Amino acid sequence: EVQLVESGGALVQPGRSLKLSCAASGFTFSHSYMAWVRQAPKKGLEWVATISTRGTTTYYPDSVRGRFTISRDNAQGSLSLQMNSLKSEDTATYYCARHGERIHFDSWGQGVLVTVSS
Amino acid sequence: DIQMTQSPASLSVSLGETVSIECLASGAISNDLAWYQQKSGKSPQLLIYGTSRLQDGVPSRFSGSGSGTRFSLKISGMQPEDEADYFCQQSYLYPLTFGSGTKLEIK
């Protein structure tokens, strides 16, 4: 069974940094593209970042490019999201997700809450 | 960027009724369209990908159709456990984008 378990959520002040982690199990982690997707309170879903199997290629939307960095450790089966220069609009539940072969998201973690507020 | 316009925003239906939710893409996305269900307080779950391919374990009352820019999700016979938010997502181009969601409730 695929399991994705996020950690690292917190209350942080605007302008500060935070790193999220995701522990993956139940599948061959190194064979899957991985992603982060977020959901602001009572809002819809927003894709945040994607990383290729070897970590050599990353993708971001304009809203986070240059501030967020996705990375992975295939030996440990872990995914990370380094978030810098946080803004109030980054407040959301962040989900770790596995990409399927059609670049959809076929497995999701339980999510972790990040609140950016002074 | 591809914008996904989803309708309706909310829907109230009776048990056993057939439901249809639509997604319109601002540009052609081939058949690279997925649908997700999110129950209250839970993570999203994949229902359909590649427009019409049912994810393992998803009941056959769910189906997807469409091509190009117009897509739809159909629930044939609303069940109590289908009360949830539903989102479409295009996987044709980065940035990956979602529809704004449909809140489906039982009347």
Side-chain angles (χ1 to χ4, degrees):
Chain A
E1 179 193 4
V2 174
Q3 282 207 319
L4 301 170
V5 180
E6 302 95 336
S7 60
L11 169 63
V12 294
Q13 293 179 328
R16 303 298 290 264
S17 298
L18 189 67
K19 187 172 184 176
L20 304 181
S21 298
C22 171
S25 61
F27 67 104
T28 306
F29 182 73
S30 61
H31 289 185
S32 293
Y33 275 47
M34 297 296 296
W36 292 94
V37 178
R38 68 184 180 184
Q39 186 170 34
K42 304 293 186 185
K43 298 294 185 182
L45 299 167
E46 181 186 15
W47 165 73
V48 170
T50 286
I51 188 166
S52 62
T53 53
R54 295 182 182 181
T56 52
T57 304
T58 55
Y59 305 84
Y60 305 95
D62 288 346
S63 58
V64 307
R65 185 178 293 113
R67 298 189 300 122
F68 289 12
T69 301
I70 187 172
S71 61
R72 66 191 297 160
D73 183 336
N74 284 344
Q76 297 293 321
S78 65
L79 181 73
S80 297
L81 184 69
Q82 177 68 45
M83 303 183 293
N84 298 332
S85 303
L86 282 162
K87 307 175 182 180
S88 58
E89 51 263 43
D90 295 319
T91 293
T93 294
Y94 285 73
Y95 295 101
C96 170
R98 186 181 75 169
H99 274 296
E101 78 275 10
R102 300 296 294 271
I103 319 299
H104 53 282
F105 305 102
D106 68 2
S107 298
W108 299 67
Q110 85 286 355
V112 64
L113 181 62
V114 172
T115 303
V116 183
S117 174
S118 54
Chain B
D1 298 3
I2 301 287
Q3 309 301 321
M4 304 301 294
T5 302
Q6 189 172 337
S7 62
S10 64
L11 200 50
S12 183
V13 302
S14 302
L15 291 175
E17 192 173 336
T18 293
V19 175
S20 187
I21 298 169
E22 299 202 334
C23 238
L24 180 65
S26 63
I29 58 170
S30 186
N31 65 345
D32 293 327
L33 193 284
W35 291 96
Y36 303 88
Q37 177 192 66
Q38 186 178 31
K39 296 184 180 179
S40 181
K42 301 294 188 182
S43 306
Q45 298 294 314
L46 177 67
L47 294 174
I48 287 169
Y49 63 98
T51 296
S52 58
R53 298 172 70 173
L54 209 61
Q55 175 71 347
D56 290 345
V58 173
S60 59
R61 63 179 179 275
F62 291 91
S63 63
S65 63
S67 65
T69 61
R70 287 187 172 275
F71 302 86
S72 64
L73 172 70
K74 186 166 80 171
I75 308 173
S76 299
M78 178 75 177
Q79 298 299 306
E81 60 267 30
D82 300 336
E83 190 169 73
D85 294 330
Y86 292 83
F87 298 91
C88 62
Q89 177 241 330
Q90 66 82 16
S91 55
Y92 183 70
L93 275 179
Y94 288 100
L96 307 177
T97 46
F98 290 88
S100 54
T102 294
K103 187 174 188 64
L104 179 59
E105 296 177 321
I106 295 172
K107 194 181 294 183

